[in-house]
Amino acid sequence: MARPTLLVDLQRCIGCYSCVVACKQENGLPVGVNWIKVDEIGPFGEFPNVKGYFLPHGCMHCEDPACVSACPTGASYQREDGIVLVDHDRCILCRYCTWACPYDARSFSLEDKMVSKCTMCAHLIDAGKDPACVQHCMGGARFFGDLDDPNSEISQYLAANENRAVKLLESQGTNPTVIFLEPRVGLLADEVAASKSSARS
């Protein structure tokens, strides 16, 4: 079975926000709603040896999504290929999914009275295309494909860089599917967790 997966090489992310803009344009998101956020991690060290990196993140399309478990109406659901979506006709705006998500990946629009999140551009995937954020990544940091296909670009790139592969907040038990490759300075888990906490407060 196909396992559509997103991989982000943080060494190649230049913090240009083209993923944010492409996502917003492709999905017609209203003002104040962004399905992708970009955190600046760092700086670390002492001048002149200062380092840092950018951390673009959104929905992790978890194998065991907390948002789906928390949803009382079944509006949050998982497709057969693992992509997590929201059925807006069944959503009652209780926002339990928003509070349950450890990644702060859900948005609420007062204008549209809607809870929404990254869909991995399921409509593009179903048409045989890559998600908009992958198509428009200026730094070539984003890869998308089927991890069950060893000949796919994402599988080969991951195999060549497997020693840098990490997943965010795995301790939450949601089994995120989005893969990150550490930057050369190292993905400092404490700083990432602190960044998530400050974003939610």
Side-chain angles (χ1 to χ4, degrees):
M1 178 179 176
R3 188 159 46 119
T5 306
L6 177 68
L7 180 149
V8 183
D9 188 344
L10 299 179
Q11 181 65 27
R12 301 178 71 171
C13 178
I14 59 176
C16 66
Y17 286 76
S18 60
C19 56
V20 177
V21 175
C23 172
K24 199 171 185 72
Q25 183 172 357
E26 177 66 33
N27 295 287
L29 303 183
V31 174
V33 173
N34 292 309
W35 289 351
I36 301 175
K37 303 176 180 74
V38 181
D39 290 337
E40 296 182 29
I41 308 299
F44 309 110
E46 296 183 6
F47 183 83
N49 300 310
V50 177
K51 299 177 180 179
Y53 58 92
F54 297 99
L55 178 65
H57 59 93
C59 178
M60 298 294 144
H61 294 277
C62 305
E63 291 182 17
D64 300 300
C67 57
V68 172
S69 299
C71 179
T73 67
S76 290
Y77 68 99
Q78 197 168 27
R79 299 199 327 179
E80 286 189 9
D81 60 7
I83 294 175
V84 178
L85 298 174
V86 179
D87 182 344
H88 295 115
D89 290 333
R90 303 182 70 176
C91 179
I92 58 174
L93 303 178
C94 67
R95 302 179 70 181
Y96 288 172
C97 61
T98 304
W99 298 319
C101 175
Y103 300 100
D104 192 32
R106 300 231 164 184
S107 297
F108 176 68
S109 169
L110 287 172
E111 176 185 342
D112 293 342
K113 295 184 173 59
M114 183 184 298
V115 172
S116 63
K117 57 173 283 301
C118 162
T119 64
M120 197 78 83
C121 286
H123 62 290
L124 294 181
I125 294 172
D126 292 344
K129 300 177 182 179
D130 287 340
C133 62
V134 176
Q135 294 184 43
H136 298 281
C137 179
M138 299 291 289
R142 289 176 169 256
F143 298 81
F144 177 80
D146 181 7
L147 274 188
D148 282 342
D149 177 4
N151 296 315
S152 66
E153 181 184 18
I154 189 173
S155 292
Q156 294 183 359
Y157 194 83
L158 178 59
N161 296 276
E162 199 159 11
N163 63 319
R164 294 196 290 130
V166 295
K167 294 184 178 182
L168 298 185
L169 303 180
E170 285 191 285
S171 62
Q172 297 294 315
T174 59
N175 297 314
T177 63
V178 176
I179 301 169
F180 293 87
L181 298 182
E182 290 184 320
R184 303 302 179 194
V185 297
L187 185 63
L188 305 180
D190 291 341
E191 283 75 9
V192 172
S195 173
K196 300 294 117 229
S197 296
S198 63
R200 293 168 66 92
S201 61

